[in-house]
Amino acid sequence: MWSFTRRLLSVGVPPLGGPTPTQPPKGGTPTISTWLGTLSLLITPVLPTVAFAIPVDERAAIEADLMEPITLKLKNRNTVTGNAIRVSEEQIQIATAEGAGEIIFTFQTDAISEISVPGESYKSVATEWMLAGNTEDALELMSMLYAQRGPLLPLLPASESHFFTYYVDLVLNSPKPARAIAIIQTLRPQIEHPAALRALDDSTLKSYQTLELYEQAVPLAEVWVARRKPFGESALGYYVLGAARLRSEAYEEALDLALRPIVFASPIPTDHLAECYAVAIGAALGLRERSYAATLFKEMQTRGFEWPVQNRSLQATLKEISQYIQDHEDIPESH
């Protein structure tokens, strides 16, 4: 049956003057649907609402490449090419153009031996842009890659999910940081490598802290501190937990937590050490140890750390310590 409004093809009944629909590869079950908007289903809903950073022509070329069909290699050695429109852990549906419409093949995932997704080279481009500090372009390209590959992640190798842990950090520093939580929830079931899991745990904790979801952040920080050493590559958990103690005016606990990674810091840069300094300074001020707070502040500056402006609750601390130092020019140097 042929309909001009929905442009549907019926299995076994060709459109007037059109070809007979091809038989599906073994292992796939054909169904029928509309061709309109098939490709846009993968891209449009999950892109963040940001101004485009990549030049229009270049972006159009990238989108065209990413919209190319994927290829399924089946265990029975058959191959089918098309656009994925629905994916679950058990099934994948592939839309293949047929005349003026399309045929959708449904495959059980255990019948698939390999999935080839176009645009692999763009992952290297995104990485290069991130390393070069070109974060706006990197965020936009990673958004397109995630829109293309995100629905397929349950069926792709774990390395694909590992790659997108970098995307979480880009989103956290974007105008739409709340999207990081949804991305993490998608990625976590696909990640197995211990190092990648630690990186995702850090991103999760950072997301809650950045979004000021402290009820979720504090329990994660407690687990983080229990499992990590203060002389590691990151002081994130000590910062989050110390900041929580500072907000509750438990100043001695806050100072102790914040000082641990500062005391044990190695010559290797430690992430979130600046935040620990800020918490320690706030705790010292809370304990009326203003001279010590000033010493910590000058030490922080000497080591080249900038005040963490993303934490709004610490801005009052910066104002107070800056005023104190201005009023007391004879603050002793730190040792």
Side-chain angles (χ1 to χ4, degrees):
M1 183 175 183
W2 173 250
S3 167
F4 285 102
T5 55
R6 298 189 63 193
R7 302 183 67 183
L8 298 180
L9 294 176
S10 179
V11 175
V13 182
L16 222 51
T20 302
T22 55
Q23 294 297 315
K26 293 180 181 179
T29 304
T31 60
I32 305 303
S33 182
T34 180
W35 178 251
L36 297 176
T38 298
L39 298 181
S40 64
L41 288 175
L42 291 178
I43 301 294
T44 305
V46 287
L47 283 176
T49 306
V50 295
F52 293 152
I54 301 174
V56 175
D57 291 347
E58 186 178 350
R59 178 184 174 85
I62 294 171
E63 286 182 332
D65 288 342
L66 297 182
M67 284 182 172
E68 288 293 314
I70 68 171
T71 299
L72 300 185
K73 294 182 180 179
L74 306 178
K75 291 180 180 178
N76 62 11
R77 299 186 180 180
N78 285 319
T79 300
V80 62
T81 299
N83 296 97
I85 60 171
R86 185 170 299 171
V87 181
S88 70
E89 292 185 3
E90 294 79 26
Q91 290 185 338
I92 181 171
Q93 290 185 334
I94 299 293
T96 301
E98 183 63 33
E102 68 179 358
I103 296 180
I104 297 177
F105 298 110
T106 300
F107 297 94
Q108 298 299 317
T109 55
D110 58 10
I112 302 169
S113 62
E114 185 180 340
I115 301 178
S116 297
V117 184
E120 184 71 17
S121 62
Y122 289 118
K123 292 164 62 179
S124 298
V125 174
T127 302
E128 290 173 5
W129 285 350
M130 282 188 290
L131 293 175
N134 189 2
T135 55
E136 289 187 1
D137 285 1
L139 172 62
E140 188 173 342
L141 180 53
M142 288 285 273
S143 296
M144 290 189 283
L145 286 167
Y146 184 75
Q148 177 210 33
R149 295 166 185 257
L152 295 168
L153 286 178
L155 309 183
L156 296 176
S159 59
E160 291 282 349
S161 295
H162 297 176
F163 170 73
F164 285 112
T165 58
Y166 300 109
Y167 180 41
V168 175
D169 289 332
L170 286 173
V171 172
L172 272 178
N173 295 315
S174 77
K176 302 284 186 179
R179 293 188 67 250
I181 301 296
I183 296 168
I184 288 168
Q185 291 172 346
T186 299
L187 295 179
R188 189 168 186 83
Q190 321 306 328
I191 294 181
E192 299 175 354
H193 193 278
L197 278 174
R198 284 195 299 272
L200 194 62
D201 286 344
D202 284 2
S203 295
T204 304
L205 180 53
K206 192 189 306 181
S207 298
Y208 287 135
Q209 181 70 13
T210 300
L211 297 170
E212 299 181 7
L213 300 174
Y214 299 131
E215 289 187 6
Q216 291 87 348
V218 170
L220 293 180
E222 290 174 343
V223 173
W224 196 103
V225 168
R227 294 178 177 176
R228 311 278 185 105
K229 302 298 183 183
F231 46 81
E233 296 178 352
S234 175
L236 175 61
Y238 292 96
Y239 153 55
V240 173
L241 202 55
R245 299 294 187 265
L246 184 62
R247 287 193 303 274
S248 63
E249 300 183 358
Y251 298 125
E252 290 187 3
E253 289 184 56
L255 184 61
D256 176 66
L257 284 162
L259 285 178
R260 286 187 214 174
I262 292 174
V263 171
F264 288 102
S266 68
I268 301 173
T270 302
D271 290 339
H272 303 289
L273 206 59
E275 287 86 346
C276 284
Y277 266 109
V279 169
I281 291 165
L285 290 173
L287 292 169
R288 307 293 183 183
E289 298 287 347
R290 294 184 177 87
S291 177
Y292 181 51
T295 299
L296 286 172
F297 185 72
K298 296 186 72 174
E299 179 182 310
M300 177 185 182
Q301 292 180 311
T302 300
R303 297 182 66 176
F305 293 117
E306 295 184 0
W307 194 268
V309 296
Q310 73 278 9
N311 188 324
R312 295 182 300 175
S313 65
L314 292 173
Q315 299 320 300
T317 298
L318 175 60
K319 183 177 181 180
E320 182 178 351
I321 192 61
S322 298
Q323 185 63 52
Y324 178 81
I325 290 176
Q326 183 178 338
D327 295 341
H328 298 75
E329 296 295 337
D330 58 343
I331 298 299
E333 295 289 338
S334 59
H335 299 285

